[in-house]
């Protein structure tokens, strides 16, 4: 066998890779063992019971702060737990990347503040982030990538800085509460379906 189950969580047999935490597993907190060297990108996607993802001391690849999962250097925010109760979160200064689906399916969280250190929003970084109402993208982010804000149904305000040169496919698709968006003249390409199903959008403003 290539895989092993530890307390219902799926790992590779050598326990160095965490493959999948079950979506409906009981308990609100999980501690990632020190031996884990890699976490699959969707390992915690859909885990609606989790309010804290912590990391055992001695792990060389991952770290946790206030129940939020980071890379060891804390330059990459990997996963914010869906069931965390706070309504506001300030991403720590020094974080450079918001990872794939890092805030997906969060409903309690409505206000998110990104530090100026953030320079990269991964694909789907905020997709299905149901609670988000407004976001200011830091100056220095070069791209809004595919599906970055896809289906953020309560998002009403987005601030796009002049560092952004492209907006990816389906970047704001399904943002049904978005009424207006300002696009800086630095943007040279807008992807397919970038604003599809933005049912409340009344104006797209250019300089």
């Amino acid at each position: 066998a290539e895989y092993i189950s530890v307390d219902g969580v799926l790992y590779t047999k050598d326990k160095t890779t965490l493959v999948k935490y079950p979506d409906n597993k009981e308990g609100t907190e999980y501690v990632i063992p020190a031996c884990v060297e890699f976490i699959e990108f969707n390992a915690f996607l859909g885990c609606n019971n989790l309010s804290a993802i912590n990391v055992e001391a001695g792990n060389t690849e991952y770290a946790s702060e206030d129940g939020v999962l980071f890379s060891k250097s804390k330059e990459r925010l990997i996963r914010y737990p869906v069931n965390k109760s706070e309504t506001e979160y300030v991403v720590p200064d020094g974080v450079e990347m918001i990872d794939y689906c890092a805030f997906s399916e969060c409903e309690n969280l409505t206000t998110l503040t990104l530090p100026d250190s953030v320079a990269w929003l991964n694909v789907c970084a905020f997709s299905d982030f149901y609670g988000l109402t407004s976001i200011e993208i830091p100056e220095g982010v070069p791209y809004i990538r595919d599906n970055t804000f896809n289906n953020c149904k309560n998002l009403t305000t987005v601030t796009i800085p002049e560092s952004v040169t492209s907006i990816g496919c389906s970047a704001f698709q399904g943002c049904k509460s978005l009424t207006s968006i300002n696009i800086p003249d630095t943007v040279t390409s807008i992807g397919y379906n970038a604003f599809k199903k933005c049912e409340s959008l009344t104006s797209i403003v250019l300089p």
Side-chain angles (χ1 to χ4, degrees), residues 45-48 50 77 79-84 86 89 101-112 125-133 151-154:
L45 194 61
C47 301
N48 295 331
L50 277 180
L77 191 156
R79 184 62 180 160
Y80 185 96
V82 171
N83 202 32
K84 197 168 166 59
E86 288 82 356
Y89 181 63
C101 292
F103 288 90
S104 289
E105 301 167 339
C106 292
E107 293 193 59
N108 297 331
L109 189 62
T110 59
T111 303
L112 179 69
F126 306 106
S127 64
D128 300 312
F129 185 171
Y130 302 130
L132 185 66
T133 57
N151 203 29
C152 290
K153 60 185 180 182
N154 289 308

Side-chain angles (χ1 to χ4, degrees), residues 62-187:
Y62 298 97
S64 182
E65 185 176 312
D66 297 326
V68 181
L69 181 62
F70 295 86
S71 60
K72 186 70 174 181
S73 65
K74 293 189 178 175
E75 292 177 352
R76 181 164 59 106
L77 191 156
I78 298 171
R79 184 62 180 160
Y80 185 96
V82 171
N83 202 32
K84 197 168 166 59
S85 61
E86 288 82 356
T87 59
E88 299 182 11
Y89 181 63
V90 177
V91 173
D93 192 34
V95 171
E96 297 178 1
M97 174 190 282
I98 307 298
D99 215 350
Y100 175 90
C101 292
F103 288 90
S104 289
E105 301 167 339
C106 292
E107 293 193 59
N108 297 331
L109 189 62
T110 59
T111 303
L112 179 69
T113 303
L114 301 176
D116 291 340
S117 57
V118 169
W120 193 258
L121 306 178
N122 215 335
V123 173
C124 300
F126 306 106
S127 64
D128 300 312
F129 185 171
Y130 302 130
L132 185 66
T133 57
S134 66
I135 187 81
E136 183 172 342
I137 299 169
E139 186 73 43
V141 171
Y143 316 113
I144 298 175
R145 304 185 72 200
D146 294 354
N147 296 293
T148 300
F149 295 97
N150 188 9
N151 203 29
C152 290
K153 60 185 180 182
N154 289 308
L155 182 64
T156 59
T157 307
V158 178
T159 303
I160 301 175
E162 292 188 352
S163 56
V164 170
T165 60
S166 68
I167 296 173
C169 296
S170 303
F172 294 96
Q173 178 171 314
C175 292
K176 61 175 70 176
S177 299
L178 194 63
T179 58
S180 178
I181 189 163
N182 292 341
I183 299 177
D185 60 5
T186 51
V187 172

